Amino acid sequence: VQLQASGGGLVQAGGSLRLSCSASGSIFSINAMGWYRQVPGKERELVASITSGGSTNYADSVKGRFTISGDNAKKTVYLRMNSLKPEDTAVYYCNANLRPNGWNTVVDNYWGQGTQVTVSS
């Protein structure tokens, strides 16, 4: 299973970015996908997640500014980030909770390579 993330970059405060993450490889079903972020010296934190049924969850710090969406057929999740703040600067990681095989019920978490988002003041 591979998760390929893209869309990070440098933006001024108040600007917008859209992150994308596509899952590929041996995937039987996906339970949920999401985005986490991490800054040096701090733990990785959940930014937003979406289930295959469309239920979403957001960190309080991004509610009203970020929107997560998904395309089940493309096994892709998007994160639209508006009104970006310098404190949103971090490496953003894509995550997928999925079942790789159809012959067992094993579910596991997979991570993408991370994409840098930098918001200048």
Side-chain angles (χ1 to χ4, degrees), residues 7-116:
L10 172 64
V11 65
Q12 288 188 332
S16 299
L17 284 174
R18 190 180 84 151
L19 305 182
S20 299
C21 175
S22 295
S24 62
S26 175
I27 299 172
F28 179 75
S29 63
I30 298 176
N31 296 325
M33 296 184 73
W35 292 94
Y36 289 69
R37 66 187 180 188
Q38 188 171 24
V39 297
K42 291 190 176 182
E43 291 188 356
R44 192 173 295 186
E45 63 175 5
L46 173 68
V47 176
S49 64
I50 185 167
T51 69
S52 59
S55 297
T56 58
N57 184 39
Y58 294 93
D60 288 342
S61 59
V62 307
K63 283 180 181 177
R65 299 188 299 122
F66 291 10
T67 302
I68 191 168
S69 59
D71 186 328
N72 289 338
K74 295 182 178 179
K75 299 182 179 66
T76 298
V77 64
Y78 308 95
L79 184 68
R80 178 68 179 181
M81 304 184 293
N82 295 329
S83 303
L84 282 161
K85 304 176 181 180
E87 50 264 43
D88 294 317
T89 296
V91 177
Y92 284 68
Y93 294 91
C94 175
N95 171 271
N97 180 268
L98 60 85
R99 182 178 163 186
N101 302 309
W103 56 83
N104 60 42
T105 58
V106 172
V107 174
D108 208 348
N109 280 309
Y110 295 83
W111 295 92
Q113 80 278 16
T115 184
Q116 177 71 46

